[in-house]
Amino acid sequence: MNRIRGPEKSKGTHLMLSARSARSASVRPARHGDIDALVPLGFSSGPDTFDYVFSPRQRGGAQDFLKFALSQDYGASSYRQHYVAEFGGEVVGSMILYGGADNNRLAIGNVKTIIRNFGALGCVAVIRRGMRMESMLKPPPMDCVYLGHLGVAQDMQGRGIGMALLAFAAKWCADAGYSKLVLDVAVSNARALELYQRAGYKNIEQRLFGHRSPDMPDVPDHYRMVRFIKN
């Protein structure tokens, strides 16, 4: 089983934050024991999208599936693809990072996770909705690192945790030999947009869900953003 997590030197980083924020935070690869903290953080990054794809009535909600997916050793939602920000011994932020070269491996893992969780019959509708989402929020190009599911605990927002995660992601990207970081963010998420713009991300495309896909009325339109990294 391939368990490569990116560059070897990205084991963890201690990052000093601004005087107005928490005094310091560390960013490290997620562990299995972080799963309970990762569920609400990951879900908060896009609740409407998660609910659209993963909340058929028979399983009781997208967060149930997210917890199951995090516990697996494969797929983009596995804890092995996550990095967490810690402050005061608590997980207060998280994100997913992976290179475009891992798209196929992770996509196979995603399908395997969905089948295991929803069963041979229940998985069909979930996979169909997931494919509709992926047709709009496309996997990253081979020469990019994808940053996804970035979430910060509500009581720690505005204290530099998000910026610490983004700084770690930029270093991870450079150490892995990539020159671009890409992400998707809801057009309506003004706070996240402002954070990404301050970190050097630029809008390169807008994905219009409600207009092009009438069956997705609750999924917000998204921007795809990119940041160029100097190696």
Side-chain angles (χ1 to χ4, degrees), residues 175-219:
D175 289 347
Y178 290 89
S179 60
K180 288 183 285 187
L181 268 163
V182 296
L183 58 85
D184 296 294
V185 59
V187 171
S188 57
N189 193 341
R191 189 168 191 168
L193 280 167
E194 192 272 337
L195 171 68
Y196 296 140
Q197 288 165 350
R198 282 195 292 117
Y201 289 82
K202 307 292 183 185
N203 297 347
I204 56 173
E205 189 177 354
Q206 186 172 352
R207 317 294 173 91
L208 303 174
F209 284 90
H211 296 87
R212 297 182 184 175
S213 304
D215 62 327
M216 299 182 183
D218 296 325
V219 178

Side-chain angles (χ1 to χ4, degrees), residues 20-93:
R20 292 181 56 203
S21 66
R23 292 176 59 189
S24 64
S26 59
V27 181
R28 60 165 174 80
R31 307 178 187 122
H32 194 277
D34 298 323
I35 288 174
D36 285 343
L38 287 169
V39 172
L41 289 170
F43 183 75
S44 73
S45 70
D48 294 322
T49 301
F50 278 114
D51 281 338
Y52 169 75
V53 178
F54 298 116
S55 59
R57 296 175 183 175
Q58 68 266 29
R59 297 303 299 182
Q63 293 192 64
D64 290 341
F65 170 77
L66 185 55
K67 184 170 184 177
F68 177 80
L70 281 161
S71 71
Q72 306 305 299
D73 288 331
Y74 42 78
S77 294
S78 167
Y79 76 94
R80 294 186 178 278
Q81 295 300 137
H82 280 74
Y83 293 82
V84 301
E86 275 190 324
F87 176 72
E90 300 290 331
V91 172
V92 295

